[in-house]
């Protein structure tokens, strides 16, 4: 396994308890053991589908797994539908995801102009759904690109996501935050095209969810996604 891709907090230890559990269950590897190798920037790698032993591109396989695993409860789906219904976003729209907050600790800052430059090159649609953790991003986009119509769930008080602050929230507020995140993801997944950062979890997930279709990134040469 290529350990260089591990973030500091992903350094898992093979404890005696873990070794014992793997031996008893005949499990060679946990998801945490292979995760960072699995999500490296896309390659031409072909893997064996364990369900039918067919050869399949690794991204195709991740898309298959997502289709099986990504299911909302009826309550959560209803909450998401209510939130998005109130936005009244036109049918034809494009989506961008701009991650701010504590992301600066692990990735370089990228201006909104970089996102919009890609968006202008890839689509003529002027309706843009923006998923971001910083309302300042929305204000900047609306001020600098008046010819576009921007839609977002981001609150005016949002000034950048911080994991520690989120961990300290009470259960109800955490749930509200997660519903909003799920709503963002559903909108980005259904957009005519998507622009984001591949180094963010949301950006990576959208590539998997859309199986790379019309996904473009400010921090990676997106043409490789279609190899």
């Amino acid at each position: 396994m290529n350990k260089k891709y591990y973030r500091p907090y992903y350094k898992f230890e093979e404890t005696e308890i873990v070794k014992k559990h793997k031996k008893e269950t005949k499990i060679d590897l946990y998801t945490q053991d292979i995760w960072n190798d699995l999500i490296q920037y896309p390659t031409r790698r072909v893997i064996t589908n364990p369900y039918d032993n067919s050869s399949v591109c690794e991204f195709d396989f991740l898309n298959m797994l997502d289709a099986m695993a990504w299911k909302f409860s009826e309550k959560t789906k209803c909450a998401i539908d209510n939130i998005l219904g109130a936005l009244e976003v036109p049918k034809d729209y494009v989506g961008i995801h701009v991650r701010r907050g504590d992301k600066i600790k692990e990735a370089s800052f990228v201006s909104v102009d970089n996102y919009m430059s890609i968006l202008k090159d890839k689509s003529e649609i002027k309706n843009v759904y923006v998923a971001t953790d910083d309302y300042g991003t929305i204000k900047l986009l609306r001020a600098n690109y008046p010819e576009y119509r921007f839609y977002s769930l981001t609150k005016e008080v949002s000034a950048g996501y911080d994991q520690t602050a989120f961990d300290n929230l009470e259960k109800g507020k955490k749930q509200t935050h997660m519903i909003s995140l799920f709503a963002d993801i559903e909108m980005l997944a259904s957009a005519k095209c998507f622009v984001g950062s591949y180094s963010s979890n949301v950006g990576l997930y959208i590539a998997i969810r859309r199986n790379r279709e019309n996904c473009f990134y400010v921090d990676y040469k997106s043409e490789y996604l279609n190899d």
Side-chain angles (χ1 to χ4, degrees), residues 18-155:
V18 169
K19 291 178 181 178
K20 181 181 178 182
H21 183 264
K22 286 183 176 179
K23 183 177 180 180
E24 291 176 346
T25 57
K26 297 181 180 180
I27 293 175
D28 297 319
L29 297 167
Y30 289 151
T31 302
Q32 67 190 35
D33 297 324
I34 64 172
W35 181 248
N36 280 58
D37 279 341
L38 190 65
I39 63 172
Q40 287 181 35
Y41 292 147
T43 67
R44 297 176 184 271
R45 288 185 298 185
V46 173
I47 63 174
T48 300
N49 184 340
Y51 296 102
D52 58 12
N53 291 321
S54 62
S55 295
V56 62
C57 165
E58 60 181 3
F59 248 84
D60 289 341
F61 183 63
L62 289 174
N63 180 257
M64 291 167 54
L65 292 179
D66 172 67
M68 290 188 288
W70 191 265
K71 307 290 184 183
F72 292 123
S73 68
E74 192 60 37
K75 181 180 179 180
T76 298
K77 185 179 184 305
C78 183
I80 292 172
D81 290 344
N82 288 338
I83 291 173
L84 295 181
L87 273 181
E88 298 184 344
V89 180
K91 182 179 179 180
D92 289 336
Y93 69 93
V94 290
I96 64 174
H97 173 248
V98 183
R99 175 78 158 83
R100 294 301 189 218
D102 57 10
K103 186 66 178 176
I104 195 64
K105 297 176 183 178
E106 40 183 78
S108 300
F109 178 88
V110 180
S111 75
V112 294
D113 295 329
N114 293 71
Y115 291 83
M116 292 302 295
S117 176
I118 295 175
L119 194 62
K120 286 182 175 182
D121 181 58
K122 301 301 180 181
S123 176
E124 296 182 353
I125 296 175
K126 302 296 185 181
N127 302 310
V128 186
Y129 183 84
V130 185
T132 182
D133 54 349
D134 188 347
Y135 191 77
T137 297
I138 306 296
K139 292 196 295 185
L140 196 59
L141 286 168
R142 287 173 175 164
N144 293 353
Y145 300 92
E147 69 274 27
Y148 283 82
R149 292 173 293 277
F150 296 99
Y151 302 84
S152 182
L153 291 175
T154 305
K155 306 294 185 184

